[in-house]
């Protein structure tokens, strides 16, 4: 890690001819570092609570800080890489164990210890010079501290973005496994018990801005999300809500114009592959329903998905609609079939079945209770009709 000092040489104090002060400063460096560590142990509870290894690294940082001040005092006109001189002694992992606030407290404590020793360390007549040099150096250290943490945050953010993209891509591609859970946990995913996937078109421009917009919307809606842009597709894994349409509406702002499809709610992240596959199939089939709402549930696109070759949709229509009606008795299947063939006319269906229209009405209510789809609604009638066709085909295949 390297940097250049934020100030120019002309801003600095040039202590030429003050060799005695420099000699005293060099001699006192180890003692001042030890005093700084003692002061931290007395006044900083977080330091006392740290593991011995981290306290040891912080001690080295304090020693390096005082040594760097001594070298800076010796050659103030030379460009210095303070962040390398001071923080380069500690491992990168220390920026995760020690917060920026704690580092500021550590630096402040060390500077205070050195400042209190100025009368003792400085040669007679050099007290003001050393104090002024320490003030300028404290500013340099503040800039260096900010830069170290900014670089660490930038690197961590880039790594997190890549890891998040890998997690979302694994869910979309159906490659979710137990390792996915540990990677998601590293991103702060809190394992909500309700998860769904939202897919749509990504807007033009910087994908990072799109991802940030999704995260802002998620925070406002109190949702857990992982998201990514893959080509022209924007994918969001959302957790924490059992209302898929409400979730999608809360996140829909950053999506580009075009259909936005919401997969079904599943119990956890590993099952999110199922939600993603349904949403992807729905997105492909949306062209067959130009007037589809935005967002639209993948399950509302079951007929189009089935016609587009989605075997999952075909099985779902047969298992969730045709089989329950078949199990309820042939009268319901026959009544539904005739009603749909008679252009949804109660009277026409009653004449064809030789029953009273109220009987047809009762049986259709039973169809709604069993399947959740109302034959009187045009869109639901289309779904029911498709399920009947697929169910009959499945039955004929079994007989062959």
């Amino acid at each position: 890690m390297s940097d250049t000092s934020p100030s120019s040489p002309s801003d600095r104090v040039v202590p030429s001819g003050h060799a005695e002060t420099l000699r005293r400063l060099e001699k006192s460096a180890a003692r001042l570092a030890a005093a700084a560590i003692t002061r931290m142990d007395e006044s900083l509870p977080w330091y006392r609570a740290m593991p011995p290894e981290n306290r040891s690294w912080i001690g080295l940082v304090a020693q390096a800080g005082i040594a760097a001040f001594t070298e800076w005092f010796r050659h103030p006109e030379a460009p210095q890489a303070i962040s390398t001189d001071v923080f380069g002694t500690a491992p990168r992992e220390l920026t995760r164990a020690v917060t920026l606030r704690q580092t500021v407290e550590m630096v402040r404590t060390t500077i205070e210890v050195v400042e209190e020793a100025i009368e003792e360390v400085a040669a007679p007549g050099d007290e003001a010079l050393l104090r002024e040099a320490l003030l300028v150096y404290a500013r340099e250290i503040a800039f260096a501290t900010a830069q170290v943490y900014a670089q660490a945050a930038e690197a961590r953010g880039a790594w997190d973005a890549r890891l998040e993209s890998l997690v979302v891509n694994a869910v979309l591609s159906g490659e979710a496994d137990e390792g996915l859970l540990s990677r998601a946990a590293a991103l702060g995913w809190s394992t909500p018990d309700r998860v769904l996937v939202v897919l749509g078109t990504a807007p033009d421009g910087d994908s990072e801005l799109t991802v940030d917009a999704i995260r802002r919307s998620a925070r406002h809606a109190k949702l857990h999300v992982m998201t990514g842009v893959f080509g022209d597709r924007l994918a969001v894994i959302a957790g924490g809500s059992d209302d898929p349409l409400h979730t999608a509406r809360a996140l829909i702002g950053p999506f580009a114009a075009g259909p936005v499809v919401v997969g079904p709610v599943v119990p956890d992240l590993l099952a999110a592959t199922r939600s993603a596959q349904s949403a992807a199939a729905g997105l492909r089939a949306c062209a067959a329903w130009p007037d589809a709402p935005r967002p639209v549930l993948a399950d509302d696109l079951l007929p189009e998905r089935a016609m587009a070759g989605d075997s999952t949709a075909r099985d779902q229509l047969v298992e969730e609609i045709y089989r329950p009606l078949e199990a309820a008795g042939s009268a319901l299947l026959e009544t539904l079939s005739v009603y749909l063939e008679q252009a949804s006319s109660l009277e026409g269906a009653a004449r064809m079945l030789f029953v009273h229209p109220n009987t047809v009405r009762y049986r259709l209510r039973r169809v709604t209770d069993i399947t959740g789809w109302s034959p009187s609604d045009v869109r639901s009638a289309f779904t029911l009709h498709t399920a009947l066709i697929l169910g009959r085909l499945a039955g004929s295949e079994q007989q062959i």
Side-chain angles (χ1 to χ4, degrees):
M1 185 186 305
S2 64
D3 70 359
T4 56
S5 175
S7 63
S8 62
S10 61
D11 294 331
R12 297 180 178 177
V13 180
V14 180
S16 58
H18 299 278
E20 178 60 23
T21 296
L22 179 61
R23 186 187 66 79
R24 292 187 179 192
L25 190 58
E26 291 174 336
K27 186 177 180 180
S28 303
R31 178 175 57 82
L32 292 175
I37 294 301
T38 301
R39 179 76 60 85
M40 290 183 212
D41 190 59
E42 294 171 350
S43 61
L44 302 178
W46 60 263
Y47 176 79
R48 292 194 299 273
M50 295 188 78
E53 181 182 7
N54 287 347
R55 289 203 303 270
S56 175
W57 281 117
I58 289 176
L60 291 178
V61 170
Q63 293 176 22
I66 294 173
F69 173 58
T70 302
E71 189 62 26
W72 184 87
F73 188 79
R74 184 196 310 274
H75 301 294
E77 73 287 349
Q80 303 278 338
I82 292 178
S83 66
T84 300
D85 293 341
V86 177
F87 299 103
T89 61
R92 181 174 299 178
E93 291 78 8
L94 196 64
T95 58
R96 292 181 179 268
V98 182
T99 67
L100 176 59
R101 179 185 61 81
Q102 291 170 340
T103 301
V104 170
E105 290 178 349
M106 176 186 71
V107 170
R108 181 188 293 119
T109 300
T110 304
I111 294 295
E112 287 175 353
V113 168
V114 176
E115 187 176 20
E116 291 170 4
I118 283 179
E119 298 295 332
E120 176 186 350
V121 172
D126 281 358
E127 294 85 357
L129 175 68
L130 188 59
R131 182 172 288 106
E132 187 174 354
L134 183 63
L135 289 175
V136 175
Y137 180 75
R139 183 189 68 181
E140 303 293 323
I141 278 288
F143 281 122
T145 302
Q147 184 179 33
V148 166
Y149 276 83
Q151 289 174 339
E154 184 177 352
R156 187 159 57 245
W159 169 253
D160 286 351
R162 289 193 294 271
L163 185 60
E164 183 174 4
S165 180
L166 288 173
V167 170
V168 177
N169 186 61
V171 170
L172 295 180
S173 62
E175 298 175 355
D177 54 22
E178 292 296 333
L180 182 75
L181 298 180
S182 61
R183 290 190 289 273
L187 293 168
W189 181 258
S190 60
T191 62
D193 56 3
R194 296 177 301 277
V195 179
L196 57 85
V197 174
V198 184
L199 292 180
T201 304
D204 295 332
D206 191 342
S207 60
E208 291 185 8
L209 296 179
T210 301
V211 168
D212 288 342
I214 289 287
R215 291 189 181 123
R216 285 195 300 271
S217 299
R219 284 194 297 269
H220 185 266
K222 296 181 172 57
L223 296 169
H224 306 279
V225 299
M226 288 185 287
T227 183
V229 175
F230 305 89
D232 63 349
R233 182 172 293 183
L234 173 58
V236 182
I237 302 172
S241 173
D242 56 3
D243 186 339
L245 284 179
H246 175 76
T247 299
R249 291 187 184 111
L251 302 173
I252 202 170
F255 283 85
V260 174
V261 182
V262 192
V265 176
V266 293
D268 52 43
L269 186 60
L270 289 180
T273 290
R274 188 166 72 251
S275 182
Q277 290 172 343
S278 295
L283 196 60
R284 289 191 296 269
C286 261
W289 188 12
D291 296 327
R294 186 178 187 268
V296 61
L297 296 175
D299 283 357
D300 286 345
L301 287 156
L302 284 174
E304 288 81 5
R305 289 167 52 192
M307 293 179 187
D310 181 6
S311 60
T312 300
R314 290 199 298 269
D315 294 342
Q316 191 171 341
L317 286 168
V318 172
E319 296 301 325
E320 295 182 3
I321 296 178
Y322 185 82
R323 298 299 182 206
L325 291 177
E326 185 181 44
S330 59
L332 290 186
L333 276 176
E334 182 184 18
T335 300
L336 176 61
S337 179
V338 171
Y339 175 76
L340 295 174
E341 290 170 358
Q342 294 298 313
S344 300
S345 168
L346 283 172
E347 290 76 11
R351 285 194 300 270
M352 293 294 295
L353 295 168
F354 302 102
V355 297
H356 195 276
N358 284 342
T359 302
V360 176
R361 187 177 288 110
Y362 168 75
R363 291 176 180 175
L364 295 180
R365 282 201 300 268
R366 288 275 294 140
V367 169
T368 302
D369 292 340
I370 292 172
T371 67
W373 300 88
S374 172
S376 61
D377 176 77
V378 174
R379 180 69 194 176
S380 295
F382 174 52
T383 302
L384 290 166
H385 201 173
T386 305
L388 289 181
I389 294 171
L390 292 172
R392 290 166 183 158
L393 290 173
S396 66
E397 289 174 357
Q398 290 176 355
Q399 294 174 4
I400 296 177

